[in-house]
Amino acid sequence: MTEVHVVVYCDSCGELFTDADGESVCFDTRYQAIAFLTFLPGRARWVYDGDKIVCNGCRVPDQCEQTGHAFTDSHGTTARSHGTTSCSRLCLVCGTSESEPR
């Protein structure tokens, strides 16, 4: 007897979709995998757009590239060598930092 299982890989980076313990998740059919990803709870929102499946790690930077970063309002100050300082802030969506000399 032969059994076929479907596992999900990100079409952008090739990451395997896993459960909270890091084990690959096996689905019975492609449709079952798509339904699961479509209604996936907040832990790791993978997106299926009808053609490609994209993991959260690839989706978030793409989102910021399209809509712009959502930087925090406050700037942290970092002291650097040679007496210079800079202000930095983080994007709330992807974690990218932006800094400027002070």
Side-chain angles (χ1 to χ4, degrees), residues 5-60:
H5 296 276
V6 175
V7 293
V8 177
Y9 292 92
C10 175
D11 285 321
S12 292
C13 70
E15 180 180 341
L16 176 64
F17 180 77
T18 60
D19 63 16
D21 295 325
E23 298 292 324
S24 63
V25 178
C26 294
F27 299 96
D28 293 332
T29 66
R30 179 176 180 248
Y31 301 106
Q32 183 186 39
I34 291 168
F36 183 83
L37 292 175
T38 301
F39 299 106
L40 186 64
R43 179 180 69 80
R45 294 197 183 274
W46 287 45
V47 174
Y48 174 67
D49 68 2
D51 180 38
K52 292 184 178 185
I53 296 173
V54 182
C55 71
N56 194 45
C58 292
R59 180 185 62 81
V60 170

Side-chain angles (χ1 to χ4, degrees), residues 57-94:
C58 292
R59 180 185 62 81
V60 170
D62 286 346
Q63 179 181 339
C64 284
E65 187 175 304
Q66 292 172 9
T67 61
H69 292 286
F71 287 109
T72 56
D73 289 334
S74 62
H75 288 58
T77 302
T78 305
R80 304 274 184 205
S81 61
H82 307 294
T84 62
T85 59
S86 66
C87 292
S88 62
R89 58 187 185 158
L90 294 175
C91 175
L92 298 170
V93 177
C94 71

